[in-house]
Amino acid sequence: DLKAFERRLTEYIACLQPATGRWRMILIVVSVYTATGAWNWLIDPETQKVSFFTSLWNHPFFTISCITLIGLFFAGIHKRVVAPSIIAARCRTVLAEYNMSCDDTGKLILKPRPHVQ
């Protein structure tokens, strides 16, 4: 039973890795776009002279990338990026009751039994 559980857990975590990698790349790209747009928005001398909404209107690259980043966080990208580690941590919590643990790939770690005297 332990081997079947370990096989299924490693299979499930391995299945999540490609999607997690794609979500990480999306988050990195949108974050870099937002940072670049923010830099251009901040160094523009017109930004200080006009209202906030006018300055956002004058910098559509920053506005769109910022809205996209906020939308991704509302959609739960922060959970999708770390999904395999969340699953491994929850399994560790349950397995601790049985004197076991698991690594980040899902391999089971058997701990020695405590001696009761």
Side-chain angles (χ1 to χ4, degrees):
D1 288 338
L2 283 176
K3 287 292 182 188
F5 175 75
E6 180 181 47
R7 222 174 304 124
R8 181 65 181 129
L9 183 60
T10 55
E11 174 187 323
Y12 187 71
I13 290 176
C15 180
L16 286 175
Q17 292 298 341
T20 300
R22 284 191 296 271
W23 284 115
R24 284 181 184 158
M25 286 306 298
I26 290 170
L27 182 61
I28 288 169
V29 167
V30 172
S31 297
V32 168
Y33 285 170
T34 303
T36 305
W39 176 255
N40 290 332
W41 180 58
L42 290 172
I43 63 169
D44 186 12
E46 291 294 316
T47 301
Q48 297 175 358
K49 298 175 186 172
V50 295
S51 71
F52 176 71
F53 292 110
T54 305
S55 69
L56 288 178
W57 185 259
N58 291 338
H59 295 276
F61 180 76
F62 169 67
T63 306
I64 292 170
S65 63
C66 192
I67 290 171
T68 304
L69 185 63
I70 291 169
L72 285 172
F73 273 102
F74 277 127
I77 194 169
H78 57 290
K79 292 178 186 174
R80 294 174 189 192
V81 165
V82 293
S85 60
I86 290 173
I87 291 170
R90 289 179 181 170
C91 285
R92 280 187 206 103
T93 303
V94 173
L95 290 171
E97 295 181 27
Y98 300 101
N99 227 19
M100 292 187 281
S101 185
C102 67
D103 61 5
D104 288 335
T105 62
K107 298 281 185 188
L108 291 179
I109 300 168
L110 302 175
K111 296 180 181 176
R113 294 182 186 202
H115 289 285
V116 179
Q117 293 178 349

